[in-house]
């Protein structure tokens, strides 16, 4: 069994490399370093901290360069973990060395040796007279520049400051004609692997920095746009290519001495990062749906998984690799790992610096309460999950207290079910359900009672398994006057031409403003309802929690049909009045008298309006009538909407023969204020349906059918949403699905 190098041996190697790294000579007028330095945070021999939210850029003998998304470049010493901010909002060029190159002005470079602490030197590229130099990379103290000559040609140059302060400027030889678009793909001491374009093809060249010559060139016929990664070592060159026949990518490795080529397939959806050390290729891949960072032998050794994932790789001066990644091994987690080929042909990993974060995704907490009051905020509830890393979530709900997350769960949520880093992952539930497998009641509004939730949180980088957690909460709402299915949404009853009574459950989407209706699993009553000619729902007239239905038969008998509390089923009818044939309109209404009990309104054929106060007694649910107005015979439609305009009690709207709609504000004492004109043109609608609060804003709404002249499939019309303002009680109409069709006898 092979073992990782000991900390004592690692420290000795670092010390030896520091001695042989060399010193950058200071030139006259050198700039002084001014970056802030953090205090040491690790004792000798301990694992040092790695900057949070950062990637490895370059590795030296005594430290490493990292950068974060904010554009901050930081140098961290391996010996004690102290770190220095070397640049912010400006790129730092470095490769396989402790020397860093930063830009301080218009093509003015500062070259600084972080190992020796010597004063930095300055190189002004504008002073070079052979063309316009643009720096794109650095290996040690040698800066690679792309030069546009006065004649318009493009050349690759090596620029460096000598010990006496003179600046050397050497043109690289051996590149094919027309080479340009240079990039530094990888670096090793004394060597740069440069990517470039020539003859419309993507190529790589190995540049010997001592002789300023391209000693080898390679063509990449299918460069991967997703993975523009390459690597160079003393013995091999590698790069990533697309495999057109699949979504996989190929890593091409060429022996620099013999030209022998090996190809390895790497499954990856986010780019293959690669590195070379000794006789090993390391690369990122995906296996069995999870990320992995593997080592493939260029000889005969078996492959080996090194880490759960990797996000950046840099070659150190000794030929080892520093990899920003993560391990699922206990006590390791996220950080910087050194990958090294050992003396007997194997490969090892060692944690060099840690972030303190776990590699696997961790659900740190959530805000889901045990009780959800869906009367608040229109039933819209944000669910927030605190996660340890970039992840996405699938959130499921199902009624009841269930032991696990099975099939036929609803996934009715919207919002930011993903996060790009550690933090809050938020999804918004709109109080509805939507079963993906369909079937009856495949969507609608969530009923009161116990619901089980389940969340699956998957890491974006694929490192480690998904996390699943479940729990329960209780949905609760106060009783609503038209809600028979105990889900807070109004239900509509429809009597068809054959006398069958059906219930339709209201369904409103707050995010889309969409109104819909879902049929119950079965008819409330398959026949017999054509004996009635008036229908209304006053609320819980009989004193129970559930609303009741009131009907009048053709002989003038008034009947109460109590709700059973079993979904939308009704109990045996009870006769509660006679001689009701004198009325041509009967309307159930919310509490008109301020006693908390619903009431009935009736208009007789002489135009008088009568109030029947509710008692809450199932045996005698109506008190003695009292007259509250006359002249109501001018109206052909009356709808008791509930409180739509801010008055103390329920309101109603009435349409006259000229098509003018009038508002009557309830005063709370059983009477109405003087009528207020809403507007004209309302005679185009054939049916008014007031079902209470359709849009979950706490105010009643009005549904009207399409005009008779408009063709439709029988279930169309307009929604007039209330405003709470008596001066303009309705918002502009918008098209909406309405319950019932042309052939129905009644909709209430």
């Amino acid at each position: 069994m092979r073992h990782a190098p000991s900390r004592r041996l690692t420290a000795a190697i670092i010390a030896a490399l520091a001695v042989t790294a060399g010193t950058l000579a200071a030139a006259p007028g050198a700039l002084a370093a001014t970056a802030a330095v953090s205090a040491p945070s690790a004792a000798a021999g301990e694992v040092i901290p790695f900057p949070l939210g950062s990637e490895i850029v370059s590795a030296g003998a005594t430290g490493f360069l990292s950068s974060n998304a904010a554009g901050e470049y930081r140098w961290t010493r391996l010996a004690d973990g102290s770190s220095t901010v070397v640049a912010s909002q400006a790129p730092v060029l470095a490769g396989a060395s402790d020397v860093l190159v930063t830009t301080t002005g218009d093509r003015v470079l500062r070259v600084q040796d972080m190992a020796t602490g010597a004063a930095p030197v300055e190189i002004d590229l504008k002073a070079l007279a052979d063309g316009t130099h643009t720096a794109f990379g650095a290996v040690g103290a040698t800066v690679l520049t792309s030069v546009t000559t006065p004649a318009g040609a493009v050349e690759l140059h090596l620029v460096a400051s000598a010990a006496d302060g003179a600046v050397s400027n050497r043109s690289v030889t051996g590149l094919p004609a027309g080479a340009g678009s240079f990039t530094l793909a990888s670096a090793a001491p004394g060597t740069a692997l440069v990517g470039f374009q020539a003859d419309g093809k993507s190529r790589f060249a190995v540049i010997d920095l001592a002789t300023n010559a391209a000693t080898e060139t390679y063509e990449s016929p299918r460069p991967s746009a997703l993975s523009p990664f390459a690597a160079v070592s003393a013995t091999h060159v590698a790069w990533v290519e697309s495999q057109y026949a699949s979504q996989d990518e190929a890593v091409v490795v060429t022996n620099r001495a013999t030209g022998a080529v090996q190809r390895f397939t790497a499954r990856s959806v986010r780019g293959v990062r690669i590195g070379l050390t000794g006789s090993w290729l390391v690369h990122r891949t995906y296996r069995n749906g999870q990320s992995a960072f593997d080592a493939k032998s260029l000889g005969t050794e078996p492959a080996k998984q090194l880490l759960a994932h990797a996000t950046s790789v840099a070659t150190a001066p000794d030929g080892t690799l520093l990899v920003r990644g993560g391990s699922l091994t206990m006590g390791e987690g996220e950080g910087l790992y050194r990958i090294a080929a050992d003396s007997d042909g194997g490969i090892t990993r060692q944690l060099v610096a840690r972030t303190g974060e776990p590699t696997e995704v961790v659900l740190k907490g959530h805000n889901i309460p045990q009780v959800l009051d869906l009367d608040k905020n229109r039933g819209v509830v944000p669910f927030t999950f605190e996660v340890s890393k970039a992840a996405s979530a699938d959130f499921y709900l199902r009624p009841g207290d269930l032991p696990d997350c099975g099939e036929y769960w609803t996934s009715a949520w919207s919002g930011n079910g993903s996060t790009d880093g550690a933090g809050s992952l938020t999804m918004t539930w709109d109080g509805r359900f939507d079963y993906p497998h369909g079937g009856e009641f495949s969507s609608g509004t969530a009923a009161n009672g116990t619901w089980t939730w389940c969340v699956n949180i998957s890491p974006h980088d694929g490192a480690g398994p998904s996390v699943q957690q479940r729990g329960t909460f209780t949905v609760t709402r106060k009783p609503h006057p038209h809600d028979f299915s105990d889900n807070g949404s109004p239900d509509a009853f429809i009597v068809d031409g054959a006398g069958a009574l059906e219930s339709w459950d209201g369904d409103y989407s707050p995010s889309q403003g969409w109104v819909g209706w879902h049929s119950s699993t079965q008819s409330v009553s398959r026949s017999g309802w054509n004996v009635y000619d008036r229908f209304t729902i006053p609320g819980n007239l009989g004193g129970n929690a559930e609303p009741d239905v009131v009907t009048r038969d053709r002989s003038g008998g008034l009947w109460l049909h109590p709700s059973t509390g079993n979904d939308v089923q009704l109990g045996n009818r009870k006769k509660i009045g006679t001689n009701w044939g004198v009325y041509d309109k009967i309307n159930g209404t919310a509490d008109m008298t301020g006693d908390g009990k619903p009431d009935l309104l009736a208009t007789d054929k002489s135009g008088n309006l009568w109030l029947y106060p509710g008692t809450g007694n199932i045996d005698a649910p109506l008190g003695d009538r009292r007259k509250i107005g006359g002249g109501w015979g001018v109206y052909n439609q009356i709808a008791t909407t509930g409180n739509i305009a801010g008055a103390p009690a329920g309101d109603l709207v009435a349409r006259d023969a000229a098509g003018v709609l009038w508002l009557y504000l309830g005063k709370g004492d059983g009477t109405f204020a003087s009528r207020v004109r809403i507007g004209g043109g309302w005679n185009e609608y054939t049916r008014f349906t007031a079902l209470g609060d359709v849009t979950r804003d706490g105010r009643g709404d009005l549904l009207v059918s399409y005009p008779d002249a408009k063709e439709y499939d029988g279930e169309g019309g307009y929604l007039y949403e209330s405003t709470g303002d008596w001066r303009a009680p309705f918002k502009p109409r918008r098209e909406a699905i309405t319950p019932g069709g042309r052939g129905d006898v009644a909709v209430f």
Side-chain angles (χ1 to χ4, degrees), residues 367-436:
N367 72 335
I368 303 179
Q370 293 184 335
V371 177
L372 291 181
D373 183 355
L374 294 189
D375 280 328
K376 298 179 179 178
N377 196 32
R378 291 194 170 187
V380 177
V381 182
F383 293 149
T384 299
F385 300 90
E386 297 296 326
V387 294
S388 62
K389 61 189 292 186
S392 57
D394 293 311
F395 186 70
Y396 303 95
L397 290 166
R398 195 171 182 182
D401 186 357
L402 302 174
D404 54 28
C405 299
E407 291 188 14
Y408 299 98
W409 285 62
T410 175
S411 56
W413 57 267
S414 62
N416 183 22
S418 179
T419 177
D420 293 331
S424 298
L425 189 154
T426 301
M427 294 160 292
T428 301
W429 186 41
D430 63 2
R432 302 177 61 254
F433 62 89
D434 185 11
Y435 292 123

Side-chain angles (χ1 to χ4, degrees), residues 654-733:
R655 183 185 68 183
D656 63 25
V660 176
L661 191 67
W662 299 89
L663 169 67
Y664 284 85
L665 291 171
K667 296 167 64 176
D669 60 359
T671 64
F672 294 100
S674 299
R675 69 179 187 175
V676 177
R677 189 178 190 273
I678 295 176
W682 287 75
N683 52 1
E684 64 177 340
Y685 305 125
T686 56
R687 177 183 291 133
F688 285 34
T689 308
L691 299 174
D693 182 14
V694 175
T695 59
R696 301 192 199 171
D697 61 357
R699 299 185 300 268
D701 305 299
L702 182 65
L703 287 159
V704 297
S705 66
Y706 277 143
D708 276 342
K710 183 170 182 177
E711 294 183 3
Y712 67 107
D713 62 4
E715 294 181 353
Y718 296 102
L719 169 68
Y720 282 91
E721 188 175 358
S722 64
T723 66
D725 183 356
W726 63 269
R727 291 162 296 189
F730 292 119
K731 297 179 182 180
R733 73 180 188 181

Side-chain angles (χ1 to χ4, degrees), residues 123-161:
I123 299 176
D124 188 351
L125 296 179
K126 298 192 301 298
L128 303 178
D130 54 349
T132 302
H133 287 249
T134 302
F136 66 86
V139 182
T142 301
V143 180
L144 288 79
T145 66
S146 177
V147 183
T148 303
T149 69
V154 178
E155 299 177 353
L156 175 60
H157 284 217
L158 306 178
V159 178
S161 178

Side-chain angles (χ1 to χ4, degrees), residues 232-237 253 275-282 296-299 315 318-321 339-342 345-347:
V232 64
S233 69
T235 57
H236 293 83
V237 170
V253 185
L276 291 167
T277 180
S279 60
W280 291 88
L281 164 75
V282 299
K296 293 284 183 66
S297 173
L298 303 178
T315 302
D318 62 353
T320 63
L321 301 173
I339 308 298
D342 60 25
I347 191 167

